[in-house]
Coordinates of all heavy atoms in Angstrom, one line a residue:
M1 N 9.2 24.1 -5.5 CA 8.2 24.1 -6.5 C 7.1 23.0 -6.1 O 7.6 21.9 -6.0 CB 8.7 24.0 -7.9 CG 7.6 24.1 -8.9 SD 8.2 24.0 -10.6 CE 9.6 25.0 -10.6
D2 N 5.9 23.3 -6.0 CA 4.9 22.2 -5.7 C 4.4 21.5 -7.1 O 4.8 21.8 -8.1 CB 3.8 22.7 -4.9 CG 2.7 23.6 -5.6 OD1 3.2 24.2 -6.6 OD2 1.7 23.7 -5.1
A3 N 3.6 20.5 -6.8 CA 3.2 19.7 -7.9 C 2.3 20.4 -8.9 O 2.5 20.2 -10.2 CB 2.4 18.5 -7.4
M4 N 1.5 21.3 -8.5 CA 0.7 22.1 -9.3 C 1.4 23.0 -10.2 O 1.1 23.2 -11.4 CB -0.5 22.8 -8.6 CG -1.6 23.3 -9.5 SD -2.1 21.9 -10.5 CE -3.8 22.0 -10.2
Q5 N 2.5 23.7 -9.6 CA 3.2 24.7 -10.4 C 3.9 23.8 -11.5 O 4.2 24.2 -12.7 CB 4.2 25.4 -9.5 CG 3.6 26.3 -8.7 CD 4.5 27.0 -7.6 OE1 5.7 26.4 -7.4 NE2 4.3 28.2 -7.3
Q6 N 4.5 22.7 -11.2 CA 5.2 21.7 -12.1 C 4.3 21.3 -13.2 O 4.7 21.3 -14.4 CB 5.8 20.6 -11.4 CG 6.7 19.7 -12.3 CD 7.9 20.6 -12.9 OE1 8.6 21.2 -12.2 NE2 8.1 20.4 -14.2
H7 N 3.1 21.1 -12.8 CA 2.0 20.7 -13.8 C 1.8 21.8 -14.9 O 1.7 21.6 -16.0 CB 0.8 20.3 -13.2 CG -0.3 19.9 -14.2 ND1 -0.2 18.8 -14.9 CD2 -1.4 20.6 -14.5 CE1 -1.3 18.8 -15.6 NE2 -2.0 19.9 -15.5
M8 N 1.8 23.0 -14.4 CA 1.5 24.1 -15.2 C 2.7 24.3 -16.2 O 2.5 24.6 -17.4 CB 1.2 25.4 -14.5 CG -0.1 25.4 -13.5 SD -1.5 25.1 -14.4 CE -1.8 26.7 -15.2
I9 N 3.9 24.2 -15.7 CA 5.0 24.3 -16.5 C 5.0 23.1 -17.5 O 5.3 23.5 -18.8 CB 6.3 24.2 -15.7 CG1 6.5 25.5 -14.8 CG2 7.5 24.1 -16.5 CD1 7.6 25.5 -13.8
D10 N 4.7 22.0 -17.2 CA 4.7 20.8 -18.2 C 3.7 21.0 -19.1 O 3.8 20.7 -20.3 CB 4.5 19.6 -17.4 CG 5.7 19.1 -16.6 OD1 6.8 19.8 -16.8 OD2 5.5 18.3 -15.7
R11 N 2.5 21.6 -18.7 CA 1.3 21.9 -19.7 C 1.8 22.9 -20.7 O 1.4 22.7 -21.9 CB 0.2 22.3 -18.8 CG -1.1 22.2 -19.5 CD -2.2 22.4 -18.5 NE -3.4 22.8 -19.3 CZ -4.5 22.0 -19.4 NH1 -4.4 20.8 -18.6 NH2 -5.5 22.2 -20.1
Y12 N 2.4 24.0 -20.3 CA 2.8 25.0 -21.1 C 3.8 24.4 -22.2 O 3.8 24.6 -23.3 CB 3.6 26.2 -20.4 CG 4.1 27.2 -21.2 CD1 3.3 28.2 -21.9 CD2 5.5 27.3 -21.5 CE1 3.8 29.2 -22.6 CE2 6.0 28.3 -22.3 CZ 5.1 29.1 -23.0 OH 5.8 30.2 -23.7
R13 N 4.8 23.6 -21.7 CA 5.9 23.1 -22.6 C 5.2 22.1 -23.6 O 5.5 22.1 -24.8 CB 6.8 22.2 -21.9 CG 7.9 21.5 -22.7 CD 8.6 20.5 -22.1 NE 7.7 19.5 -21.5 CZ 7.1 18.6 -22.2 NH1 7.3 18.5 -23.5 NH2 6.3 17.6 -21.6
A14 N 4.1 21.3 -23.2 CA 3.5 20.5 -24.1 C 2.6 21.2 -25.1 O 2.7 20.9 -26.3 CB 2.5 19.6 -23.3
A15 N 2.1 22.3 -24.8 CA 1.4 23.2 -25.8 C 2.3 23.8 -26.7 O 2.0 23.9 -28.0 CB 0.6 24.3 -25.0
Q16 N 3.5 24.1 -26.2 CA 4.4 24.7 -27.3 C 4.9 23.7 -28.2 O 5.3 24.1 -29.3 CB 5.7 25.2 -26.4 CG 5.3 26.4 -25.5 CD 4.9 27.6 -26.3 OE1 5.4 28.0 -27.3 NE2 3.8 28.2 -25.9
H17 N 5.0 22.5 -27.8 CA 5.5 21.4 -28.8 C 4.3 20.6 -29.4 O 4.5 19.7 -30.1 CB 6.4 20.5 -28.0 CG 7.7 21.0 -27.6 ND1 7.9 21.5 -26.2 CD2 8.8 21.4 -28.2 CE1 9.1 21.9 -26.1 NE2 9.6 22.1 -27.3
A18 N 3.1 21.1 -29.3 CA 2.0 20.5 -29.9 C 1.8 19.0 -29.4 O 1.5 18.1 -30.3 CB 2.0 20.5 -31.3
E19 N 2.0 18.8 -28.1 CA 1.9 17.4 -27.5 C 0.7 17.4 -26.6 O 0.2 18.5 -26.2 CB 3.3 17.1 -26.7 CG 4.5 17.0 -27.5 CD 5.7 16.8 -26.6 OE1 5.6 16.9 -25.4 OE2 6.7 16.7 -27.3
P20 N 0.2 16.2 -26.3 CA -1.0 16.2 -25.4 C -0.5 16.7 -23.9 O 0.6 16.5 -23.6 CB -1.4 14.8 -25.4 CG -0.2 14.0 -25.9 CD 0.5 15.0 -26.8
A21 N -1.5 17.2 -23.3 CA -1.2 17.8 -21.9 C -1.0 16.6 -21.0 O -1.8 15.6 -21.1 CB -2.2 18.7 -21.4
P22 N -0.1 16.7 -20.0 CA 0.0 15.6 -19.0 C -1.3 15.5 -18.1 O -1.9 16.6 -18.0 CB 1.3 16.1 -18.2 CG 1.4 17.5 -18.4 CD 0.8 17.8 -19.7
P23 N -1.5 14.4 -17.4 CA -2.5 14.3 -16.5 C -2.3 15.1 -15.3 O -1.2 15.3 -14.9 CB -2.7 12.8 -16.2 CG -1.3 12.3 -16.4 CD -0.7 13.2 -17.6
L24 N -3.4 15.5 -14.7 CA -3.3 16.3 -13.4 C -2.6 15.6 -12.3 O -2.7 14.2 -12.3 CB -4.6 16.7 -12.8 CG -5.4 17.8 -13.6 CD1 -6.9 17.9 -13.1 CD2 -4.6 19.1 -13.4
P25 N -1.9 16.2 -11.4 CA -1.3 15.4 -10.4 C -2.3 14.6 -9.5 O -3.3 15.2 -9.3 CB -0.5 16.5 -9.4 CG -0.4 17.7 -10.4 CD -1.5 17.6 -11.3
G26 N -2.0 13.4 -9.2 CA -2.9 12.6 -8.4 C -4.0 11.8 -9.1 O -4.8 11.2 -8.6
T27 N -4.0 12.0 -10.5 CA -5.0 11.3 -11.3 C -4.8 9.8 -11.1 O -5.8 9.2 -11.1 CB -4.9 11.7 -12.8 OG1 -5.0 13.1 -12.9 CG2 -5.9 11.2 -13.6
H28 N -3.6 9.3 -11.1 CA -3.5 7.8 -11.2 C -3.0 7.3 -9.9 O -2.5 6.2 -9.8 CB -2.5 7.4 -12.3 CG -2.8 8.0 -13.7 ND1 -3.9 7.4 -14.3 CD2 -2.4 9.0 -14.4 CE1 -4.1 8.0 -15.5 NE2 -3.1 9.0 -15.6
D29 N -3.1 8.0 -8.8 CA -2.6 7.6 -7.4 C -3.3 6.3 -7.0 O -2.7 5.4 -6.5 CB -2.9 8.7 -6.4 CG -2.0 9.8 -6.6 OD1 -1.1 9.7 -7.5 OD2 -2.0 10.8 -5.9
V30 N -4.6 6.2 -7.2 CA -5.4 5.1 -6.6 C -5.0 3.9 -7.4 O -4.8 2.7 -6.8 CB -6.9 5.3 -6.7 CG1 -7.7 4.0 -6.3 CG2 -7.3 6.4 -5.8
A31 N -4.9 3.9 -8.7 CA -4.5 2.8 -9.6 C -3.1 2.3 -9.2 O -2.9 1.2 -9.1 CB -4.6 3.3 -11.1
T32 N -2.2 3.3 -9.0 CA -0.8 3.0 -8.6 C -0.8 2.1 -7.3 O 0.0 1.2 -7.1 CB 0.1 4.2 -8.4 OG1 0.0 4.9 -9.7 CG2 1.4 3.8 -8.1
L33 N -1.4 2.7 -6.2 CA -1.6 1.9 -5.0 C -2.2 0.5 -5.1 O -1.7 -0.5 -4.5 CB -2.4 2.8 -4.0 CG -1.8 4.0 -3.6 CD1 -2.7 4.8 -2.6 CD2 -0.5 3.8 -2.8
R34 N -3.3 0.3 -5.9 CA -3.8 -0.9 -6.3 C -2.8 -1.9 -6.9 O -2.6 -3.0 -6.6 CB -5.0 -0.9 -7.1 CG -6.2 -0.4 -6.5 CD -7.4 -0.4 -7.2 NE -8.6 0.2 -6.5 CZ -9.4 0.9 -7.1 NH1 -9.4 1.2 -8.4 NH2 -10.5 1.4 -6.4
E35 N -2.0 -1.3 -7.9 CA -1.0 -2.2 -8.5 C 0.1 -2.5 -7.6 O 0.6 -3.7 -7.5 CB -0.3 -1.5 -9.6 CG -1.3 -1.4 -10.8 CD -0.7 -0.5 -11.9 OE1 0.6 -0.5 -12.0 OE2 -1.4 0.1 -12.8
L36 N 0.5 -1.7 -6.5 CA 1.5 -1.9 -5.6 C 0.9 -3.1 -4.6 O 1.7 -4.0 -4.3 CB 1.9 -0.7 -4.8 CG 2.9 -0.9 -3.6 CD1 4.2 -1.3 -4.2 CD2 3.0 0.3 -2.9
R37 N -0.3 -3.0 -4.2 CA -0.9 -3.9 -3.3 C -0.9 -5.3 -4.1 O -0.5 -6.4 -3.5 CB -2.3 -3.6 -2.9 CG -3.0 -4.6 -2.1 CD -4.5 -4.5 -2.1 NE -5.1 -4.6 -3.4 CZ -6.3 -4.1 -3.9 NH1 -7.1 -3.5 -3.0 NH2 -6.6 -4.4 -5.2
D38 N -1.3 -5.4 -5.3 CA -1.4 -6.6 -6.0 C 0.0 -7.2 -6.2 O 0.2 -8.4 -6.1 CB -2.0 -6.4 -7.4 CG -3.4 -6.0 -7.3 OD1 -4.1 -6.3 -6.3 OD2 -3.9 -5.6 -8.4
Y39 N 1.1 -6.4 -6.4 CA 2.4 -6.8 -6.6 C 2.9 -7.5 -5.3 O 3.5 -8.6 -5.3 CB 3.3 -5.7 -7.1 CG 4.8 -6.1 -7.1 CD1 5.2 -6.9 -8.2 CD2 5.7 -5.7 -6.2 CE1 6.5 -7.3 -8.3 CE2 7.0 -6.3 -6.3 CZ 7.4 -7.0 -7.4 OH 8.7 -7.3 -7.4
R40 N 2.6 -6.8 -4.2 CA 3.0 -7.3 -2.9 C 2.3 -8.6 -2.6 O 2.9 -9.5 -2.0 CB 2.8 -6.4 -1.7 CG 3.7 -5.1 -1.8 CD 3.6 -4.2 -0.7 NE 3.8 -4.8 0.5 CZ 4.9 -4.9 1.2 NH1 6.0 -4.5 0.7 NH2 4.9 -5.5 2.5
R41 N 1.0 -8.7 -2.9 CA 0.4 -10.2 -2.8 C 1.1 -11.1 -3.6 O 1.2 -12.2 -3.2 CB -1.1 -9.9 -3.1 CG -1.9 -9.1 -2.1 CD -3.3 -9.1 -2.5 NE -4.1 -8.4 -1.4 CZ -5.3 -8.0 -1.7 NH1 -6.0 -8.2 -2.9 NH2 -6.0 -7.4 -0.7
F42 N 1.3 -10.8 -4.8 CA 2.0 -11.8 -5.7 C 3.4 -12.2 -5.2 O 3.6 -13.4 -5.2 CB 2.2 -11.2 -7.1 CG 2.9 -12.0 -8.1 CD1 2.3 -13.1 -8.6 CD2 4.2 -11.6 -8.5 CE1 3.0 -13.9 -9.6 CE2 4.8 -12.3 -9.4 CZ 4.3 -13.5 -10.0
E43 N 4.1 -11.2 -4.7 CA 5.4 -11.6 -4.1 C 5.3 -12.5 -2.9 O 6.1 -13.4 -2.7 CB 6.2 -10.3 -3.7 CG 6.7 -9.7 -4.9 CD 7.9 -10.3 -5.6 OE1 8.7 -10.9 -4.9 OE2 7.9 -10.2 -6.8
A44 N 4.3 -12.2 -2.0 CA 3.9 -13.1 -0.8 C 3.6 -14.6 -1.3 O 4.1 -15.5 -0.7 CB 2.8 -12.5 0.0
V45 N 2.8 -14.7 -2.3 CA 2.5 -16.0 -2.8 C 3.7 -16.8 -3.3 O 4.0 -17.9 -2.9 CB 1.4 -15.9 -3.9 CG1 1.2 -17.3 -4.5 CG2 0.1 -15.5 -3.4
L46 N 4.6 -16.2 -4.0 CA 5.8 -16.6 -4.5 C 6.7 -17.1 -3.4 O 7.5 -18.0 -3.5 CB 6.5 -15.8 -5.5 CG 5.9 -15.5 -6.7 CD1 6.8 -14.6 -7.7 CD2 5.6 -16.9 -7.6
A47 N 6.7 -16.4 -2.3 CA 7.5 -16.6 -1.1 C 6.9 -17.6 -0.1 O 7.5 -18.1 0.8 CB 7.8 -15.4 -0.3
G48 N 5.7 -18.1 -0.5 CA 5.0 -19.1 0.3 C 4.4 -18.5 1.6 O 4.0 -19.2 2.5
R49 N 4.0 -17.3 1.6 CA 3.3 -16.6 2.7 C 1.9 -16.3 2.3 O 1.5 -16.5 1.2 CB 4.0 -15.3 3.0 CG 5.5 -15.4 3.5 CD 6.0 -14.1 4.0 NE 5.8 -13.0 3.0 CZ 6.6 -12.5 2.2 NH1 7.7 -13.1 2.0 NH2 6.3 -11.5 1.4
L50 N 1.1 -16.0 3.3 CA -0.4 -15.7 3.0 C -0.4 -14.5 2.1 O 0.4 -13.5 2.3 CB -1.0 -15.3 4.3 CG -1.2 -16.5 5.2 CD1 -2.0 -16.0 6.6 CD2 -2.2 -17.5 4.7
A51 N -1.3 -14.5 1.2 CA -1.4 -13.3 0.3 C -2.2 -12.2 0.9 O -2.0 -10.9 0.5 CB -1.9 -13.7 -1.0
T52 N -3.3 -12.5 1.7 CA -4.1 -11.5 2.2 C -4.3 -11.7 3.7 O -4.2 -12.8 4.2 CB -5.6 -11.6 1.6 OG1 -6.0 -13.0 1.9 CG2 -5.6 -11.4 0.1
G53 N -4.7 -10.6 4.3 CA -4.9 -10.6 5.7 C -3.7 -10.7 6.6 O -3.8 -10.9 7.9
R54 N -2.5 -10.5 6.1 CA -1.2 -10.6 6.9 C -1.2 -9.5 7.9 O -0.8 -9.7 9.1 CB -0.1 -10.6 6.0 CG 0.0 -11.7 5.0 CD 1.3 -11.8 4.3 NE 1.3 -10.6 3.4 CZ 2.4 -10.0 3.0 NH1 3.6 -10.5 3.3 NH2 2.4 -9.0 2.1
L55 N -1.5 -8.3 7.5 CA -1.4 -7.0 8.4 C -2.4 -7.3 9.7 O -2.1 -7.1 10.8 CB -1.7 -5.8 7.7 CG -1.7 -4.6 8.5 CD1 -0.3 -4.4 9.3 CD2 -2.0 -3.4 7.8
R56 N -3.6 -7.7 9.2 CA -4.7 -7.8 10.3 C -4.3 -8.8 11.2 O -4.4 -8.8 12.4 CB -6.0 -8.0 9.6 CG -7.1 -8.2 10.7 CD -8.6 -8.4 10.0 NE -8.9 -7.1 9.3 CZ -9.9 -6.9 8.5 NH1 -10.6 -8.0 8.2 NH2 -10.0 -5.8 8.0
A57 N -3.9 -10.0 10.7 CA -3.3 -11.2 11.5 C -2.2 -10.6 12.5 O -2.2 -11.0 13.7 CB -3.0 -12.3 10.8
A58 N -1.3 -10.0 11.9 CA -0.2 -9.5 12.8 C -0.6 -8.6 13.9 O -0.2 -8.6 15.0 CB 0.8 -8.9 11.9
L59 N -1.5 -7.8 13.5 CA -2.0 -6.7 14.6 C -2.8 -7.5 15.6 O -2.9 -7.2 16.8 CB -2.9 -5.6 13.9 CG -2.0 -4.6 13.2 CD1 -3.1 -3.7 12.4 CD2 -1.0 -3.8 14.0
A60 N -3.7 -8.5 15.2 CA -4.5 -9.1 16.1 C -3.6 -9.9 17.1 O -3.8 -10.1 18.3 CB -5.4 -10.1 15.4
H61 N -2.5 -10.6 16.5 CA -1.6 -11.4 17.4 C -0.9 -10.2 18.4 O -0.6 -10.5 19.5 CB -0.5 -12.0 16.6 CG 0.5 -12.7 17.4 ND1 0.2 -13.8 18.2 CD2 1.8 -12.4 17.6 CE1 1.3 -14.3 18.6 NE2 2.2 -13.5 18.4
L62 N -0.6 -9.2 17.8 CA 0.3 -8.2 18.7 C -0.6 -7.6 19.8 O -0.2 -7.4 21.0 CB 0.6 -7.0 17.8 CG 1.6 -6.0 18.5 CD1 2.8 -6.7 19.0 CD2 1.9 -4.8 17.5
F63 N -1.9 -7.3 19.6 CA -2.9 -6.6 20.5 C -3.8 -7.6 21.2 O -4.7 -7.1 21.9 CB -3.6 -5.5 19.8 CG -2.6 -4.4 19.5 CD1 -2.4 -4.1 18.0 CD2 -2.0 -3.6 20.3 CE1 -1.6 -3.1 17.8 CE2 -1.2 -2.5 20.0 CZ -1.0 -2.4 18.6
A64 N -3.7 -8.9 20.9 CA -4.6 -9.8 21.6 C -4.2 -9.8 23.1 O -3.1 -9.8 23.5 CB -4.4 -11.1 21.1
P65 N -5.2 -10.0 23.9 CA -4.9 -10.1 25.5 C -4.2 -11.4 25.7 O -4.6 -12.4 25.2 CB -6.3 -10.0 26.0 CG -7.3 -10.3 25.0 CD -6.7 -9.9 23.7
H66 N -3.3 -11.2 26.6 CA -2.5 -12.5 27.0 C -3.2 -13.3 28.0 O -3.5 -12.7 29.2 CB -1.1 -12.1 27.5 CG -0.3 -13.2 27.8 ND1 0.3 -14.1 26.9 CD2 0.2 -13.6 29.0 CE1 1.0 -15.0 27.6 NE2 0.9 -14.7 28.8
H67 N -3.5 -14.5 27.7 CA -4.1 -15.4 28.8 C -3.1 -16.4 29.2 O -2.4 -17.1 28.6 CB -5.3 -16.1 28.0 CG -6.4 -15.2 27.6 ND1 -7.3 -14.5 28.4 CD2 -6.8 -14.9 26.3 CE1 -8.0 -13.8 27.7 NE2 -7.8 -14.0 26.3
P68 N -2.9 -16.4 30.6 CA -1.9 -17.3 31.1 C -2.5 -18.7 30.9 O -3.7 -19.0 30.9 CB -2.0 -16.9 32.7 CG -3.2 -16.2 32.9 CD -3.5 -15.5 31.5
R69 N -1.5 -19.6 30.8 CA -1.9 -21.1 30.6 C -2.6 -21.6 31.9 O -2.1 -21.4 33.0 CB -0.7 -21.9 30.3 CG -0.2 -21.6 29.0 CD 1.0 -22.5 28.7 NE 0.9 -23.0 27.3 CZ 1.7 -23.9 26.8 NH1 2.5 -24.5 27.5 NH2 1.5 -24.2 25.5
R70 N -3.6 -22.3 31.7 CA -4.4 -22.9 32.8 C -4.1 -24.4 32.7 O -4.4 -25.2 31.8 CB -5.9 -22.7 32.7 CG -6.2 -21.2 32.8 CD -7.6 -21.1 32.9 NE -8.1 -19.5 32.7 CZ -8.1 -18.8 33.7 NH1 -7.8 -19.1 34.9 NH2 -8.4 -17.5 33.5
H71 N -3.6 -24.9 33.7 CA -3.2 -26.3 33.9 C -4.3 -27.0 34.7 O -5.0 -26.5 35.6 CB -1.9 -26.5 34.7 CG -0.7 -25.9 33.9 ND1 -0.1 -26.4 32.9 CD2 0.0 -24.8 34.3 CE1 0.8 -25.6 32.4 NE2 0.9 -24.7 33.3
P72 N -4.6 -28.3 34.4 CA -5.5 -29.1 35.1 C -5.2 -29.3 36.6 O -3.9 -29.1 36.9 CB -5.6 -30.4 34.3 CG -4.5 -30.3 33.2 CD -3.9 -29.0 33.3
P73 N -6.3 -29.4 37.4 CA -5.9 -29.5 38.8 C -4.8 -30.5 39.2 O -4.1 -30.4 40.2 CB -7.2 -29.8 39.4 CG -8.2 -29.4 38.5 CD -7.6 -29.5 37.2
A74 N -4.7 -31.6 38.5 CA -3.9 -32.7 38.8 C -2.4 -32.3 38.6 O -1.5 -32.9 39.2 CB -4.2 -34.0 38.0
C75 N -2.1 -31.3 37.9 CA -0.7 -30.9 37.6 C -0.1 -29.9 38.5 O 1.0 -29.5 38.5 CB -0.6 -30.4 36.1 SG -1.1 -31.6 34.9
R76 N -1.0 -29.5 39.4 CA -0.5 -28.4 40.3 C 0.4 -28.8 41.3 O 0.6 -29.7 41.9 CB -1.7 -27.6 40.8 CG -2.4 -26.8 39.8 CD -3.4 -25.9 40.4 NE -4.2 -25.3 39.4 CZ -5.2 -24.6 39.5 NH1 -5.6 -24.2 40.8 NH2 -5.9 -24.1 38.6

């Protein structure tokens, strides 16, 4: 059973019991994702890690071109 069918069943049940209809599926998805992002940032701060930019920094480190160390001519 997909989400829309379940919503229709829940809506019918709510109407039978004179209750308010449930919100459409996906109505609060963006708000939920924002709350999850904020919670993960909060947990990072409590753990002493960077709160923002961690994914971008990790990807930049992973995909950065590797440059061999260049020693001064006197060390060769």
Side-chain angles (χ1 to χ4, degrees):
M1 182 178 316
D2 71 336
M4 195 51 128
Q5 289 174 336
Q6 183 63 47
H7 175 71
M8 296 301 286
I9 292 170
D10 291 342
R11 196 174 166 107
Y12 176 77
R13 183 200 49 79
Q16 295 298 316
H17 293 103
E19 297 173 355
L24 285 170
T27 302
H28 303 291
D29 288 354
V30 173
T32 302
L33 290 175
R34 284 185 183 139
E35 288 179 23
L36 179 63
R37 179 197 62 197
D38 292 343
Y39 178 75
R40 290 186 51 91
R41 285 180 178 172
F42 175 71
E43 288 290 319
V45 169
L46 290 181
R49 298 187 311 263
L50 291 175
T52 60
R54 293 183 299 149
L55 180 61
R56 183 174 292 172
L59 289 174
H61 178 72
L62 184 65
F63 292 112
H66 179 67
H67 297 292
R69 291 183 139 187
R70 300 190 188 271
H71 297 288
C75 296
R76 289 187 190 178

